[in-house]
Amino acid sequence: MIGRVKKLFNTVFLIEIGKGLALTLRTMLKPAVTRQYPREKRKPFAGSRGLHAMRRDDSGQKERCIGCGLCEAVCPADAITVITAEGPDHEKIVSSYELNLLRCVFCGFCIDACPVSAIQMTPEFELACTSRKDAFYTKERLVKIGDKYMGGKG
Amino acid sequence: MAVTETEQKTVQKELTLNMGPQHPSTHGVLRLVLDLQGETVVGVDPRPGYLHRGIEKLMEYRTYHQIIPITDRLEYISCMNNNLGYVVAVEKLASISVPERAQFIRTLTAELGRLSAHLVWLGTHALDIGAMTVCLYALRERELLLDLFEMATGARQTVSYARIGGVRNDLPRDFFDKCYEFVDLFPKRLTEYDTLIRENRIWLRRTKGIGVMTAEDAVNYGLTGGTLRGSGVDYDLRKAEPYAAYDKVDFDVPLGKNGDVYDRYIVRLEEMRQSNRIIRQCLDKMQPGPVMTDDPRYAVPEKTQVMQNMESLAHQFVLMSKWAPMPKGEVYSATEAPKGELGFYIVSDGSGKPYRIKIRAPSYVNLSAFPKMVTGHMMADVVACIGTIDIVLGECDR
Amino acid sequence: MTEQSKLITAVIDGKQVTVAAGTMILKAAESIGITIPVFCYHPRLTISGSCRMCLVEIEGGSKPVTACSTELAAGVVVYTNTPTVLEARREIMENLLINHPLDCPVCDKGGECLLQDHAYDWGPGASRFTERKRLFRKPIPLSDRILLDRERCILCTRCVRFCDEISDHRELAILEMGGNSEIAVAPDRAFDSQFSGNTVELCPVGALTSTSFRFKARPWEMARLPGICPFCGCGCSIDIHTRSGNIMRFMARENPAVDDGWLCDRGRYGFDLSGGSERLTKPLVRKQGRLVAVSWKEAIATAVEKLRRAVSQYGPGAVGGIGSAWSSSEENDLLQRLIRESLESHNVDCSLTDDGRPAALALAEGLGTFTFNDIDRADSILMIGADPSRYQPILDLRLKKAVITRRTPIFTLASTDGEMARYARESLRYRAGSEESLLRLLTAAVKKEKRYDSFESDLRAGGLSREAIDRGLERAGLGPRTVVLVNASLLTDDVRVYLVKELVAAMGAGASTGLLFDSANGFGARTAGAVPGYLPGLRPIDRGMSGPEMVVAAERSTLKALYILNREHHDSAAVARARRGAELLICHALFLDEASGSGDIVFPAASVFEKQGTFTNTAGLAQSTAPVLNPPGEARPESTVIEEIMERLKQ
């Protein structure tokens, strides 16, 4: 009986709807959680997996990559192409390192695979570009990004 | 019932309506061919496949290790659970033991993943039915979860976190503070969602008695997850066949009674509360220790060791270029993903690449009950029923 | 070594195995699917037993034994996976890895390296070694083609054994002792063997690398496609490794009927010949004296029109076609059909400089029946004018194998110095040009005829004596199971063919004859009918002009049109001579050089790796190849072009 009266009361006075609206009102008074993205930027957390970068070797003269090709082997999206050649002293040189960001899935496996920690990921996430060509990151571009995020150190 | 002649003509004329694949409430690219009589649905034919990417075939051409990022793209709002389901299957195939800390981390992240999936479900489900505010609130909390994911794994969505034999990395120190903060906050937020819709008369009208599946039907249709438990069948793989650290934590499996849309809502909401409990227990119980198996056959060597000793270098090369030769055989392993039983059936020919992987996708199986649920209801209830079986087409079509 | 087929039974890992007595444990285990890891063992080399990786336990034995060098005894029980065995393997691996440099990232072998795989499968997983590793200057060149990195070497001696046993050039040796041991070129020797590339393939680690492949590609990046080596008459089976449309390397693919799993350097490193950036990519047609790139449609229409006009104006006899002993049988067949069926001429040959007919006659007469495996079984071998070391290197390995393992007597008769003379029981030199009298004399000697006086002048001219030949025949013990190897290019006229036939017949019924062609498809071009007087299948037909005759006729302008297949393998001077008088010269060419540039219509051809085709090797084994690359630009396989021309000529 009491339950039925209560139910009638609730029905007539729109109690549950009132409760909901009250919650909405309370939330309205709290500061907004929405971020106004291009103007307000969130700082990515440490270790965030963004754009790749190439570190320099200990001499600081050239890239650290030694051309083992493990990143290429482990990449599940076939985004990396490493082409190596023989240098003047029979050493292995990396003639071309190309990262195709159009294919990259940012799984970070290349970073895990690199035996000399040459390739790294930066928290850089704004990767939009206006031509497909810009999505191909060569060795030189990657080293530049490395300089920007890792101060060019080995 | 007596009807006039003109009415009879109108009513008896059946209309075939094509809903989707581009329709916001089909939760992706599901196409439904509806047979309508007036506003009543008399038949429905779901036509999935618009998001088919050949994932199972792709897997055959990748090493066991390389498959992990592909599983991210199954049910892309709970990547943690897909990663886990896959690696658990591989570990069963190769009898790999996983250290306890990794097990707790996996349980913790899987439950975070469940929360993130359920929040998307709640938000979109309520939005479909007309309650817009819930969606905004749910996504607000999901943002916190994504932050946690980013701290733990470096990625917000496609996390690729679990590894065969462990997890990618240990959780960073500040993760724990943030996570405690979250588990303290979240139950309050759950109450807020409830305040908005649990007793709301429109919500009740739209959900009570809609899409009823009896317990028997639910079992016969092979339903799993919240869709099954809404009908009152007590079946949860976390209890039935515990994996990761689920046997070390305490939680309840919420059940519904009527098997309608409303009960499934109650079940999933309560599941979130239980997930929160599990997360708190994991945080409390976790002991320091390794997060990767000590079996050198499957453990990717420590980065610092790779260029220090020959053994590690050889292991790094073999694992990264062709993965370990796995034991020959077949294995089926299932985990409780947010949508239900996510099973991986792996056939191994002894190489580093699987011969065949079949994915038992819960969304796909659950979708099969959709015609049963919706037939006889009104056109407007179609969206409520899609929402309640909680499908993600990435997993359904694979 | 016992050769009795006595069978014994033993147990390996709980599985019963029955093998011939004298079988090593390793082979017996392999026969029932149990793999035992090895480094130094190689099925085609002698057993060295030096790496100790294959240790297994025998029940009741005092300590583990090497599976590669221990004969399986009847009734013994062998275990390959006991804790002792695994421990032994771990320790071997640990020892091998102590001095192994951390080179995997810059080592070509990475990804297909036995050491890497075994370290993964059987190694201890972590290193206890903290001292400095052994250091060497690296890499050092062993030859122009091969570099040695001594730090990586595990001293399995596979390369040394190959040079000692298979190529028998004995250039490599181990210098120094103990921890200082190193592989090196033997003092005062050069590593210039034509089989040196095999050592790189044999090397289980990355110690030997070939300069042509260094740092080019990783094994996992390359597609591997089976192919047939197109660089001599042997037709060895190869695996062609390609990466993004380029051939990276050739590897041997074992074919017991041909190559025994070895390759010569000419084949292994020959693939660069077909590459190059200056390939012809568009059809060229001469207009107002200059070659102009045109569409295929136009080029073919021009060819059809000009061929038709040549036939109608000068008659079919004024048209000729030159196939090629380096082109596939299908292409040669199409060419002879174009000439014989579509243009109704009989002027077909496969070379501009030699008459292809006598060798075809020899084949038709039933010579050329030998197989490579006949060499393994032969009682004795007679070689006439043949120099397989230079022209059929893999056959050379076969012959050495016969001499080394079975002491098969060889009798060589040659006009030039050849390596085989060193292995021959008896070797004689004759003066080039006296082959006919040589054959007569040999036949007489085999038949033990006394009437050799009549050849006396010939003998003197040839620099031979009957006594020498008699002695050779006696020492070589020629008889019914003799293999007679004749250089096909000696067969310049029909008389010689019949002389060879008579000689073989005199040997007895079991003798087999090999015609040694130095071209990839010398055999096939003839059986495909690209020779005067023979249709495919060596069915006789009216004889037209031979290649050299066509050149002369063209020079004199009696032959008006010449169609040349595979220009790269024809003599440039002959093409130039033919050009002088011919009105129409059509050729298929890979490159634009002086000879192809003198043509009126030049079709860009596909290289042998870019098209399908069947090649018959010098032992009559027909093998098909599939394309592994795409032709560059608009280049098309010759067969499709000839087919189209034939189709248009019909209309």
Side-chain angles (χ1 to χ4, degrees), chain B residues 305 308-312, chain C residues 94 97-98 124-130 133:
Chain B
Q305 287 299 304
Q308 291 297 324
N309 75 64
M310 198 46 224
E311 277 84 350
S312 301
Chain C
E94 191 170 17
L97 295 180
I98 276 180
S127 178
R128 296 183 290 171
F129 185 74
T130 52
K133 287 178 187 264

PDB file of all heavy atoms in Angstrom, chain B residues 305 308-312, chain C residues 94 97-98 124-130 133:
ATOM      1  N   GLN B 305      70.919  -6.161 -21.822  1.00  0.00           N
ATOM      2  CA  GLN B 305      71.724  -7.362 -22.011  1.00  0.00           C
ATOM      3  C   GLN B 305      72.022  -7.658 -23.483  1.00  0.00           C
ATOM      4  O   GLN B 305      72.983  -8.350 -23.801  1.00  0.00           O
ATOM      5  CB  GLN B 305      70.997  -8.582 -21.405  1.00  0.00           C
ATOM      6  CG  GLN B 305      70.999  -8.606 -19.889  1.00  0.00           C
ATOM      7  CD  GLN B 305      72.422  -8.659 -19.358  1.00  0.00           C
ATOM      8  OE1 GLN B 305      73.189  -9.533 -19.701  1.00  0.00           O
ATOM      9  NE2 GLN B 305      72.777  -7.687 -18.515  1.00  0.00           N
ATOM     10  N   GLN B 308      75.282  -6.952 -24.765  1.00  0.00           N
ATOM     11  CA  GLN B 308      76.301  -7.319 -23.790  1.00  0.00           C
ATOM     12  C   GLN B 308      76.702  -8.778 -23.899  1.00  0.00           C
ATOM     13  O   GLN B 308      77.864  -9.114 -23.762  1.00  0.00           O
ATOM     14  CB  GLN B 308      75.782  -7.066 -22.358  1.00  0.00           C
ATOM     15  CG  GLN B 308      75.608  -5.603 -22.009  1.00  0.00           C
ATOM     16  CD  GLN B 308      76.919  -4.862 -22.031  1.00  0.00           C
ATOM     17  OE1 GLN B 308      77.948  -5.401 -21.670  1.00  0.00           O
ATOM     18  NE2 GLN B 308      76.880  -3.620 -22.495  1.00  0.00           N
ATOM     19  N   ASN B 309      75.731  -9.653 -24.099  1.00  0.00           N
ATOM     20  CA  ASN B 309      76.133 -11.047 -24.221  1.00  0.00           C
ATOM     21  C   ASN B 309      75.471 -11.740 -25.393  1.00  0.00           C
ATOM     22  O   ASN B 309      74.370 -11.418 -25.816  1.00  0.00           O
ATOM     23  CB  ASN B 309      75.965 -11.808 -22.895  1.00  0.00           C
ATOM     24  CG  ASN B 309      74.540 -12.118 -22.580  1.00  0.00           C
ATOM     25  OD1 ASN B 309      73.898 -12.863 -23.316  1.00  0.00           O
ATOM     26  ND2 ASN B 309      74.024 -11.562 -21.505  1.00  0.00           N
ATOM     27  N   MET B 310      76.211 -12.672 -25.913  1.00  0.00           N
ATOM     28  CA  MET B 310      75.874 -13.322 -27.174  1.00  0.00           C
ATOM     29  C   MET B 310      74.556 -14.085 -27.084  1.00  0.00           C
ATOM     30  O   MET B 310      73.763 -14.078 -28.018  1.00  0.00           O
ATOM     31  CB  MET B 310      77.044 -14.261 -27.500  1.00  0.00           C
ATOM     32  CG  MET B 310      77.132 -14.722 -28.912  1.00  0.00           C
ATOM     33  SD  MET B 310      76.908 -13.427 -30.099  1.00  0.00           S
ATOM     34  CE  MET B 310      75.821 -14.277 -31.224  1.00  0.00           C
ATOM     35  N   GLU B 311      74.318 -14.716 -25.943  1.00  0.00           N
ATOM     36  CA  GLU B 311      73.091 -15.504 -25.798  1.00  0.00           C
ATOM     37  C   GLU B 311      71.863 -14.620 -25.969  1.00  0.00           C
ATOM     38  O   GLU B 311      70.943 -14.944 -26.714  1.00  0.00           O
ATOM     39  CB  GLU B 311      73.046 -16.183 -24.422  1.00  0.00           C
ATOM     40  CG  GLU B 311      73.820 -17.478 -24.333  1.00  0.00           C
ATOM     41  CD  GLU B 311      75.298 -17.262 -24.064  1.00  0.00           C
ATOM     42  OE1 GLU B 311      75.767 -16.109 -24.135  1.00  0.00           O
ATOM     43  OE2 GLU B 311      75.993 -18.253 -23.787  1.00  0.00           O
ATOM     44  N   SER B 312      71.890 -13.461 -25.282  1.00  0.00           N
ATOM     45  CA  SER B 312      70.735 -12.567 -25.364  1.00  0.00           C
ATOM     46  C   SER B 312      70.558 -12.048 -26.778  1.00  0.00           C
ATOM     47  O   SER B 312      69.437 -11.920 -27.265  1.00  0.00           O
ATOM     48  CB  SER B 312      70.905 -11.386 -24.415  1.00  0.00           C
ATOM     49  OG  SER B 312      71.054 -11.846 -23.106  1.00  0.00           O
TER      50      SER B 312
ATOM     51  N   GLU C  94      77.833 -22.720 -24.897  1.00  0.00           N
ATOM     52  CA  GLU C  94      78.456 -21.683 -24.080  1.00  0.00           C
ATOM     53  C   GLU C  94      79.898 -21.457 -24.536  1.00  0.00           C
ATOM     54  O   GLU C  94      80.345 -20.323 -24.690  1.00  0.00           O
ATOM     55  CB  GLU C  94      78.405 -22.085 -22.615  1.00  0.00           C
ATOM     56  CG  GLU C  94      78.789 -20.933 -21.696  1.00  0.00           C
ATOM     57  CD  GLU C  94      78.510 -21.234 -20.240  1.00  0.00           C
ATOM     58  OE1 GLU C  94      78.334 -22.420 -19.903  1.00  0.00           O
ATOM     59  OE2 GLU C  94      78.481 -20.279 -19.444  1.00  0.00           O
ATOM     60  N   LEU C  97      80.025 -19.634 -27.849  1.00  0.00           N
ATOM     61  CA  LEU C  97      79.598 -18.232 -27.804  1.00  0.00           C
ATOM     62  C   LEU C  97      80.590 -17.347 -27.066  1.00  0.00           C
ATOM     63  O   LEU C  97      80.546 -16.132 -27.186  1.00  0.00           O
ATOM     64  CB  LEU C  97      78.212 -18.130 -27.158  1.00  0.00           C
ATOM     65  CG  LEU C  97      77.087 -18.806 -27.949  1.00  0.00           C
ATOM     66  CD1 LEU C  97      75.766 -18.657 -27.242  1.00  0.00           C
ATOM     67  CD2 LEU C  97      76.991 -18.224 -29.351  1.00  0.00           C
ATOM     68  N   ILE C  98      81.481 -17.961 -26.290  1.00  0.00           N
ATOM     69  CA  ILE C  98      82.454 -17.175 -25.523  1.00  0.00           C
ATOM     70  C   ILE C  98      83.212 -16.223 -26.432  1.00  0.00           C
ATOM     71  O   ILE C  98      83.294 -15.026 -26.174  1.00  0.00           O
ATOM     72  CB  ILE C  98      83.440 -18.115 -24.787  1.00  0.00           C
ATOM     73  CG1 ILE C  98      82.810 -18.569 -23.473  1.00  0.00           C
ATOM     74  CG2 ILE C  98      84.772 -17.421 -24.524  1.00  0.00           C
ATOM     75  CD1 ILE C  98      83.673 -19.489 -22.664  1.00  0.00           C
ATOM     76  N   PRO C 124      72.477 -21.824 -23.146  1.00  0.00           N
ATOM     77  CA  PRO C 124      72.136 -21.638 -21.740  1.00  0.00           C
ATOM     78  C   PRO C 124      71.196 -20.465 -21.488  1.00  0.00           C
ATOM     79  O   PRO C 124      70.702 -20.317 -20.377  1.00  0.00           O
ATOM     80  CB  PRO C 124      73.496 -21.405 -21.080  1.00  0.00           C
ATOM     81  CG  PRO C 124      74.383 -20.926 -22.158  1.00  0.00           C
ATOM     82  CD  PRO C 124      73.868 -21.456 -23.450  1.00  0.00           C
ATOM     83  N   GLY C 125      70.967 -19.621 -22.463  1.00  0.00           N
ATOM     84  CA  GLY C 125      70.002 -18.535 -22.266  1.00  0.00           C
ATOM     85  C   GLY C 125      70.635 -17.275 -21.716  1.00  0.00           C
ATOM     86  O   GLY C 125      70.209 -16.182 -22.017  1.00  0.00           O
ATOM     87  N   ALA C 126      71.652 -17.425 -20.897  1.00  0.00           N
ATOM     88  CA  ALA C 126      72.338 -16.246 -20.366  1.00  0.00           C
ATOM     89  C   ALA C 126      73.820 -16.540 -20.332  1.00  0.00           C
ATOM     90  O   ALA C 126      74.241 -17.694 -20.288  1.00  0.00           O
ATOM     91  CB  ALA C 126      71.835 -15.908 -18.980  1.00  0.00           C
ATOM     92  N   SER C 127      74.602 -15.493 -20.380  1.00  0.00           N
ATOM     93  CA  SER C 127      76.038 -15.679 -20.471  1.00  0.00           C
ATOM     94  C   SER C 127      76.699 -15.511 -19.102  1.00  0.00           C
ATOM     95  O   SER C 127      76.250 -14.738 -18.276  1.00  0.00           O
ATOM     96  CB  SER C 127      76.612 -14.646 -21.443  1.00  0.00           C
ATOM     97  OG  SER C 127      77.998 -14.780 -21.505  1.00  0.00           O
ATOM     98  N   ARG C 128      77.754 -16.286 -18.854  1.00  0.00           N
ATOM     99  CA  ARG C 128      78.525 -16.109 -17.618  1.00  0.00           C
ATOM    100  C   ARG C 128      79.878 -15.487 -17.921  1.00  0.00           C
ATOM    101  O   ARG C 128      80.682 -15.285 -17.039  1.00  0.00           O
ATOM    102  CB  ARG C 128      78.733 -17.465 -16.939  1.00  0.00           C
ATOM    103  CG  ARG C 128      77.444 -18.103 -16.496  1.00  0.00           C
ATOM    104  CD  ARG C 128      77.723 -19.395 -15.778  1.00  0.00           C
ATOM    105  NE  ARG C 128      78.216 -20.420 -16.691  1.00  0.00           N
ATOM    106  CZ  ARG C 128      78.691 -21.593 -16.293  1.00  0.00           C
ATOM    107  NH1 ARG C 128      78.768 -21.879 -15.018  1.00  0.00           N
ATOM    108  NH2 ARG C 128      79.104 -22.481 -17.178  1.00  0.00           N
ATOM    109  N   PHE C 129      80.090 -15.225 -19.221  1.00  0.00           N
ATOM    110  CA  PHE C 129      81.417 -14.802 -19.654  1.00  0.00           C
ATOM    111  C   PHE C 129      81.567 -13.292 -19.489  1.00  0.00           C
ATOM    112  O   PHE C 129      80.765 -12.526 -20.005  1.00  0.00           O
ATOM    113  CB  PHE C 129      81.594 -15.192 -21.122  1.00  0.00           C
ATOM    114  CG  PHE C 129      82.960 -14.929 -21.675  1.00  0.00           C
ATOM    115  CD1 PHE C 129      84.025 -15.729 -21.322  1.00  0.00           C
ATOM    116  CD2 PHE C 129      83.174 -13.886 -22.558  1.00  0.00           C
ATOM    117  CE1 PHE C 129      85.280 -15.497 -21.848  1.00  0.00           C
ATOM    118  CE2 PHE C 129      84.426 -13.650 -23.089  1.00  0.00           C
ATOM    119  CZ  PHE C 129      85.481 -14.462 -22.725  1.00  0.00           C
ATOM    120  N   THR C 130      82.582 -12.861 -18.753  1.00  0.00           N
ATOM    121  CA  THR C 130      82.753 -11.424 -18.544  1.00  0.00           C
ATOM    122  C   THR C 130      84.099 -10.930 -19.044  1.00  0.00           C
ATOM    123  O   THR C 130      84.359  -9.735 -19.035  1.00  0.00           O
ATOM    124  CB  THR C 130      82.635 -11.071 -17.044  1.00  0.00           C
ATOM    125  OG1 THR C 130      83.525 -11.925 -16.318  1.00  0.00           O
ATOM    126  CG2 THR C 130      81.229 -11.255 -16.538  1.00  0.00           C
ATOM    127  N   LYS C 133      86.722 -10.782 -25.311  1.00  0.00           N
ATOM    128  CA  LYS C 133      86.650 -11.793 -26.364  1.00  0.00           C
ATOM    129  C   LYS C 133      87.910 -11.742 -27.219  1.00  0.00           C
ATOM    130  O   LYS C 133      88.590 -10.726 -27.267  1.00  0.00           O
ATOM    131  CB  LYS C 133      85.421 -11.539 -27.236  1.00  0.00           C
ATOM    132  CG  LYS C 133      84.117 -11.903 -26.546  1.00  0.00           C
ATOM    133  CD  LYS C 133      82.915 -11.588 -27.417  1.00  0.00           C
ATOM    134  CE  LYS C 133      81.618 -11.796 -26.663  1.00  0.00           C
ATOM    135  NZ  LYS C 133      81.021 -13.102 -26.904  1.00  0.00           N
TER     136      LYS C 133
END
